[in-house]
Amino acid sequence: QVQLQESGPGLVKPSQTLSLSCVVSGGSIRSGSHYWTWIRQSAGKGLEWIGRIYSSGSTNYNPSLKSRVTISVDTSKNQFSLKLSSVTAADTAVYYCASGVFGAIYYFDNWGQGTLVTVSS
Amino acid sequence: QSVLTQPPSVSEAPRQRVTISCSGSSSNIGNNAVNWYQQLPGKAPKLLIYYDDLLPSGVSDRFSGSKSGTSASLAISGLQSEDEADYYCAAWDDSLKGVVFGGGTKLTVL
């Protein structure tokens, strides 16, 4: 069973870059069995898919965030990361990393506990 | 405004059955699998149903999923207080080239 743990600053100033990491345990990020995925949830609101990365480095991003998002993978540390630039208060949310099954059907079989990021000066 | 449409809330008495609907379009539900997630209060979401109607290991068979055309449904039978949670549907969207979620449905067990 893959386990995921997010880490990063809980407070980011407006216009700066939000940076989060997700360490994967219980499996190799190079296994090719998953897309490594970021999802966020604003207070009292629903879930929003941010994007994903495959072990090859191939990425897909939510079109509404694409111009500001970068997801990368560090196989030596078995972790992947999220960078979101030019943040505003609207980016305040709980950010989850998840493992998305690679195959005909893409679904999230394991989730991190989530980390709250507040954008405020 | 979410791409997939769910009722904001549903409620039912213990031991009864409830269904949660999820409506989409031909670019998402109509052409791709639907997955459901359960989010207990203060917790991360958890996979509940995948590929329209399949249960992951460890998920109670009181939960079931179905799909017809551009709509899907989650049914929960024998309701228990521990089922109180938010439920989200999700599917790949061919037009957006990404995953879209429903707005979530809050289940209250009366």
Side-chain angles (χ1 to χ4, degrees):
Chain A
Q1 174 96 347
V2 168
Q3 295 180 318
L4 305 104
Q5 178 66 59
E6 306 89 349
S7 63
L11 180 64
V12 181
K13 289 182 167 52
S15 80
Q16 294 192 342
T17 296
L18 177 161
S19 296
L20 296 174
S21 294
C22 179
V23 174
V24 177
S25 58
S28 172
I29 208 165
R30 291 176 289 186
S31 68
S33 60
H34 289 91
Y35 287 103
W36 306 102
T37 302
W38 288 98
I39 296 161
R40 71 181 183 180
Q41 183 172 34
S42 304
K45 296 190 178 180
L47 299 164
E48 181 179 29
W49 183 79
I50 298 171
R52 67 185 185 183
I53 188 165
Y54 192 56
S55 54
S56 64
S58 173
T59 55
N60 299 100
Y61 299 132
N62 185 322
S64 68
L65 299 170
K66 188 174 183 177
S67 63
R68 299 193 292 130
V69 172
T70 302
I71 298 176
S72 59
V73 64
D74 186 337
T75 55
S76 67
K77 295 181 180 179
N78 218 39
Q79 69 180 37
F80 61 107
S81 300
L82 168 70
K83 290 189 186 300
L84 181 66
S85 64
S86 304
V87 297
T88 69
D91 295 309
T92 294
V94 174
Y95 285 76
Y96 295 100
C97 58
S99 56
V101 174
F102 175 80
I105 307 302
Y106 172 51
Y107 57 91
F108 312 119
D109 58 348
N110 295 289
W111 297 64
Q113 65 183 27
T115 187
L116 173 62
V117 178
T118 301
V119 178
S120 175
S121 56
Chain B
Q1 193 79 352
S2 301
V3 175
L4 305 181
T5 302
Q6 297 180 237
S9 64
V10 295
S11 60
E12 186 52 89
R15 298 180 297 281
Q16 300 305 305
R17 182 177 185 271
V18 70
T19 61
I20 297 173
S21 62
C22 176
S23 179
S25 68
S26 58
S27 65
N28 42 66
I29 293 177
N31 199 40
N32 296 291
V34 176
N35 308 305
W36 290 89
Y37 301 91
Q38 177 193 56
Q39 186 174 34
L40 295 170
K43 300 293 187 181
K46 166 193 161 185
L47 179 66
L48 195 64
I49 298 281
Y50 67 102
Y51 206 163
D52 301 337
D53 58 9
L54 300 182
L55 268 65
S57 175
V59 172
S60 170
D61 59 5
R62 296 187 297 106
F63 296 93
S64 62
S66 64
K67 188 177 82 172
S68 179
T70 59
S71 294
S73 291
L74 170 69
I76 312 171
S77 60
L79 276 171
Q80 302 175 3
S81 58
E82 65 208 50
D83 298 329
E84 284 203 338
D86 293 324
Y87 293 86
Y88 294 90
C89 58
W92 183 265
D93 190 290
D94 294 329
S95 298
L96 297 176
K97 293 184 170 50
V99 172
V100 291
F101 288 94
T105 299
K106 182 176 182 60
L107 168 64
T108 299
V109 180
L110 299 170

